[in-house]
Amino acid sequence: MKTPKPYSAKAATDQMYQWFKWLAPGLLVKRWLLISAGGLLLAIVGIAISTGMTPIFYTLRFLRGLLGLIAGTIPNYISGPFLILGGLLLLFWGQSRTFNSISEVFMPEGDQELVDRLLQRRRLHRGPKIVAIGGGTGLSTLLRGLKDYSSNITAIVTVADDGGSSGRLRREIGVLPPGDIRNCLAAFADEEKLLTELFQYRFSAGDGLVGHSFGNLFLTAMSDITGDLEQAIVASSRVLAIRGEVLPATLTDVNLWAQLDDGRRIEGESSITQAKGKILKIGCTPENPPALPRALEAILEADYIIIGPGSLYTSIIPNLLVPEIAIAISESKAPRIYVCNIMTQEGETQGYSVAEHIRAIDKACGVALFDAVLVQGKSPCEKTLIRYAQQNAHPVFVDREAIKELGRRIVVANVMDEDEVTGLIRHNSHLLATVLLRWYSRAHQNGE
């Protein structure tokens, strides 16, 4: 049971401020209040006409007598302001109780005013149509920040994963790997922390359950109920009330392969990184898988397209091996930017510069897909650098001249999170989203 807050002048002022928020532009409340008032007035006029004006006559005569009595007893300079004040207090009290009653029904937790939630939803609904392409933890990290700026976000996710719980479900049941999709759904949710903990929960006991995450099993069950992964994601999105849309790049059962510089051909997404060789070429079987139609539609409608961050060869490029997706991105008139990783990755991009990341993407899809590249400005601390060097990983070198020769603009920003406890480096969700939306606003204003 909620404990009532003690009355104070500040509480009254805050309550008045919250009430006036209902009149804020774009909330679509004022017009309906005015229409309701107009409807009431028309109904009263209709009743008066149909009854020959009799109720109006007697009502006006009664009010004239009452007002005359008040004016004759109490001076008008006292009675007038008193009645005005009383009327306004009753009006504000009635409206406040009405909106509070509605808020208690829809938001019983009471952590935020209903009007604030509505204003936020309206603002997010007017946000740009953003398409984010990738996979792994990089894409879900990006989505956590972007959802504060727009609810019109579509995440296009790779389905080439064949390791861990996703790989087991893929081999044993024949479903497309749900792992990256699970992470994106959790990142989009309002109750993100709780849902992430639930979806990431891994069973430690039970025949056949050990190692599986609850989120993967949830999506697998939904796929079986709805018929395919696309419908499972749609149904899950409704159940979880997520803000954006998550789509697999393709519904085809895709397997990655990589040709290494030592002549080896490695099959399987998880095996490519473990091989720890230099990748010369990457592809998939079957070749040229068809794109999900809704993914192509989202790209064509996009105001802004973001590629990455994420593992270059196993999270980003697999989406672009779907030819229709690469073509749709290349033909888009929307601003397009690639978020380059902060550190190199052993077995994929060891020794790579930013320009080499760009060349790898261009080579994989045969066309230039983005206009600019976002790179980290500040270098990690010495302790972190030593830790990563032990794993053959180093900061991605920003070779400016080579990037410019490739026809890309460089956006330098400090968007790094450096965990002092674990020593891990990640993109900061909110800093990354802020920089990306700022660049989009400038590009949009300049007509780029």
Side-chain angles (χ1 to χ4, degrees):
M1 182 175 178
K2 291 170 62 179
T3 304
K5 296 179 181 178
Y7 176 83
S8 66
K10 183 178 184 303
T13 303
D14 291 343
Q15 183 60 56
M16 190 80 71
Y17 175 66
Q18 289 295 334
W19 192 88
F20 275 110
K21 278 185 179 180
W22 287 97
L23 303 178
L27 196 55
L28 305 182
V29 170
K30 299 186 297 298
R31 68 188 67 179
W32 304 119
L33 289 175
L34 289 173
I35 289 174
S36 298
L40 178 62
L41 180 61
L42 285 175
I44 292 172
V45 171
I47 292 171
I49 293 173
S50 63
T51 57
M53 303 293 289
T54 304
I56 301 295
F57 172 76
Y58 285 114
T59 301
L60 291 175
R61 190 169 72 173
F62 172 76
L63 288 175
R64 190 182 302 114
L66 179 62
L67 292 174
L69 178 63
I70 294 174
T73 305
I74 306 172
N76 60 358
Y77 61 84
I78 295 177
S79 60
F82 179 78
L83 290 174
I84 291 172
L85 180 61
L88 289 175
L89 287 174
L90 286 174
L91 175 64
F92 286 128
W93 181 58
Q95 292 299 315
S96 174
R97 293 307 305 161
T98 299
F99 290 128
N100 284 346
S101 297
I102 296 172
S103 297
E104 288 173 4
V105 171
F106 288 100
M107 301 182 65
E109 69 277 7
D111 63 341
Q112 187 182 24
E113 291 284 348
L114 177 61
V115 64
D116 292 328
R117 182 68 65 87
L118 290 174
L119 285 169
Q120 181 188 46
R121 289 294 177 92
R122 289 292 179 187
R123 176 180 62 82
L124 294 175
H125 184 69
R126 294 194 297 268
K129 294 179 180 179
I130 303 173
V131 169
I133 300 169
T137 57
L139 182 58
S140 55
T141 297
L142 171 64
L143 299 179
R144 288 188 186 95
L146 289 180
K147 71 178 183 183
D148 290 334
Y149 292 90
S150 177
S151 58
N152 304 311
I153 307 172
T154 300
I156 298 178
V157 188
T158 175
V159 286
D161 188 9
D162 65 353
S165 171
S166 292
R168 285 173 57 193
L169 291 171
R170 185 177 183 179
R171 290 187 297 272
E172 294 170 9
I173 302 179
V175 296
L176 291 177
D180 288 345
I181 293 169
R182 173 200 76 208
N183 291 334
C184 292
L185 287 173
F188 269 140
D190 284 335
E191 297 295 334
E192 179 197 323
K193 186 175 185 299
L194 177 61
L195 189 63
T196 298
E197 290 178 358
L198 177 63
F199 268 27
Q200 299 286 28
Y201 175 80
R202 292 190 181 273
F203 294 91
S204 56
D207 291 340
L209 286 177
V210 176
H212 279 304
S213 69
F214 172 79
N216 284 354
L217 296 178
F218 176 85
L219 284 171
T220 299
M222 284 295 244
S223 296
D224 192 40
I225 292 169
T226 59
D228 63 41
L229 185 59
E230 181 184 9
Q231 295 305 314
I233 296 169
V234 172
S236 301
S237 300
R238 286 199 299 265
V239 170
L240 302 172
I242 70 167
R243 292 189 192 177
E245 182 179 25
V246 183
L247 299 172
T250 178
L251 291 179
T252 302
D253 186 16
V254 172
N255 288 286
L256 288 183
W257 58 263
Q259 189 72 41
L260 306 186
D261 64 346
D262 58 7
R264 287 181 295 164
R265 179 185 168 97
I266 307 298
E267 302 278 351
E269 184 260 357
S270 59
S271 300
I272 291 173
T273 303
Q274 294 172 3
K276 297 184 178 181
K278 183 174 181 179
I279 299 171
L280 296 181
K281 186 178 181 181
I282 193 161
C284 66
T285 52
E287 194 175 357
N288 302 327
L292 186 73
R294 175 64 195 121
L296 295 177
E297 183 182 340
I299 294 171
L300 294 174
E301 295 175 353
D303 299 316
Y304 189 20
I305 298 175
I306 303 170
I307 301 172
S311 298
L312 180 63
Y313 287 104
T314 54
S315 292
I316 295 174
I317 288 180
N319 294 290
L320 307 178
L321 294 176
V322 180
E324 292 169 304
I325 286 183
I327 293 170
I329 296 171
S330 68
E331 293 178 349
S332 173
K333 302 301 181 184
R336 299 160 298 171
I337 191 168
Y338 166 53
V339 182
C340 190
N341 291 338
I342 299 171
M343 305 294 290
T344 61
Q345 182 178 355
E346 187 181 21
E348 288 203 37
T349 57
Q350 189 173 344
Y352 272 39
S353 65
V354 174
E356 286 173 306
H357 278 75
I358 297 172
R359 290 191 191 100
I361 295 174
D362 289 351
K363 180 180 178 181
C365 52
V367 64
L369 297 186
F370 47 88
D371 316 299
V373 56
L374 173 62
V375 298
Q376 167 64 19
K378 184 181 177 181
S379 182
C381 71
E382 185 177 351
K383 181 180 178 181
T384 301
L385 290 175
I386 293 172
R387 179 188 177 279
Y388 269 88
Q390 292 171 348
Q391 303 172 19
N392 291 320
H394 306 276
V396 178
F397 176 64
V398 183
D399 42 353
R400 292 175 176 271
E401 292 303 319
I403 296 169
K404 291 178 181 178
E405 288 176 4
L406 292 170
R408 268 51 171 230
R409 291 186 292 279
I410 305 171
V411 180
V412 181
N414 294 319
V415 291
M416 177 180 65
D417 252 346
E418 195 171 353
D419 193 316
E420 295 180 358
V421 178
T422 63
L424 292 176
I425 293 174
R426 295 285 185 268
H427 282 95
N428 180 292
S429 298
H430 301 292
L431 291 177
L432 179 60
T434 300
V435 170
L436 287 170
L437 266 296
R438 190 183 300 140
W439 181 81
Y440 164 75
S441 296
R442 285 199 297 265
H444 184 66
Q445 289 172 1
N446 296 333
E448 297 178 7

